[in-house]
Amino acid sequence: MHRIDIPDHVVQRVIARCGTPHPYAVLEPRRTALVVIDMQNGYMRADVGHACVPMAVEIVPTINRLAAHVRQAGGGVFWVQNASDERSRQEWSVLEAQASPARRAARIRSVSPGAVGHEFWPDLDIRAEDSIVPKYRYSAFIRGASDLEAILRQRGYDTVLIAGTLTNVCCESSARDAMMLNFHTVMVSDANAALTDAEHNASLISFYSFFGDVLSTDEVEAGLLAGARQGAA
């Protein structure tokens, strides 16, 4: 697991801004959605992937535990599945232009629908009541990326927990956009994975400083319990 290191001066900055170190310490369960980003073979298996993140395998048990608690509390679980197709490559040509021909070919092989790399990691506990949402950009919330925003609003969710990989790419991009679309947004510190501890922590610090909250899985579980108690009072 990543070593989490958020300096005290960052925490104090958040307290000065929000009046508390954790603005989303209490979570209303039935309005909370766990959004799991890109936990697919293409990012977790070196033999079929194009951008393997070894730490992503290590967070699978934590994500499964988190999903179980969200479901039990009455929230929803959404598995976001990154993909590449001809239309997305034309509409997001800037990404294509940044990559070498070999890199573009590897990504197409890795996350095209129907490819082994596009499939979810087999040890994920994906249940029938969960939702699978295709994604065609880094962020799941930006225009043209997916239908996630519309689905969440239709089902009454206003709070988003972000988990998955990579912390500092698709997860942080999705978390920032969710906040700017007016969702209460939390990045779950031990349920995200990056290539290094340094990149993981830099992403969490940046998000925590200005966009939303950073909570551990233990803290999320406590927050859901506290929210349930408040709702029952």
Side-chain angles (χ1 to χ4, degrees):
M1 301 292 288
H2 284 299
R3 179 179 177 274
I4 311 301
D5 183 17
I6 298 180
D8 184 65
H9 73 269
V10 175
V11 177
Q12 294 306 315
R13 187 187 305 156
V14 172
I15 293 172
R17 178 171 61 87
C18 301
T20 174
H22 291 297
Y24 302 135
V26 178
L27 299 163
E28 187 176 348
R30 295 190 180 279
R31 299 182 70 82
T32 298
L34 171 63
V35 175
V36 184
I37 304 289
D38 297 357
M39 293 292 286
Q40 298 159 242
N41 291 330
Y43 301 102
M44 299 169 71
R45 276 180 54 179
D47 60 327
V48 299
H50 69 291
C52 189
V53 186
M55 188 63 70
V57 178
E58 296 191 24
I59 65 170
V60 169
T62 302
I63 288 176
N64 286 341
R65 169 188 159 194
L66 188 59
H69 277 271
V70 169
R71 289 189 205 99
Q72 185 177 15
V77 180
F78 297 80
W79 304 90
V80 173
Q81 190 172 25
N82 197 47
S84 175
D85 61 13
E86 188 61 36
R87 177 177 175 179
S88 69
R89 291 191 289 273
Q90 291 176 359
E91 292 179 347
W92 198 16
S93 60
V94 167
L95 178 67
E96 300 301 307
Q98 289 178 354
S100 68
R103 177 72 173 186
R104 286 198 299 272
R107 187 165 60 84
I108 290 169
R109 288 195 305 270
S110 175
V111 292
S112 291
V116 174
H118 180 254
E119 297 172 3
F120 286 109
W121 185 253
D123 293 336
L124 293 168
D125 185 19
I126 301 175
R127 302 290 181 91
E129 63 265 35
D130 299 343
S131 297
I132 294 174
V133 182
K135 172 173 74 73
Y136 293 89
R137 301 287 190 279
Y138 287 160
S139 168
F141 288 92
I142 196 170
R143 177 177 57 85
S146 80
D147 296 326
L148 183 59
E149 178 194 0
I151 295 169
L152 294 176
R153 296 201 191 282
Q154 183 182 39
R155 299 185 189 179
Y157 295 110
D158 65 7
T159 300
V160 173
L161 311 173
I162 298 290
T165 196
L166 277 77
T167 313
N168 54 319
V169 185
C170 295
C171 296
E172 184 182 357
S173 297
S174 297
R176 287 182 179 224
D177 286 345
M179 178 270 186
M180 288 186 281
L181 288 170
N182 211 36
F183 290 95
H184 306 129
T185 309
V186 174
M187 293 189 74
V188 186
S189 59
D190 53 349
N192 280 266
L195 289 171
T196 66
D197 286 357
E199 290 165 291
H200 182 74
N201 283 295
S203 180
L204 296 182
I205 289 168
S206 179
F207 179 80
Y208 180 50
S209 295
F210 297 103
F211 293 90
D213 209 347
V214 172
L215 300 173
S216 67
T217 296
D218 285 345
E219 289 168 332
V220 168
E221 291 172 3
L224 290 168
L225 181 60
R229 287 172 175 164
Q230 282 190 8

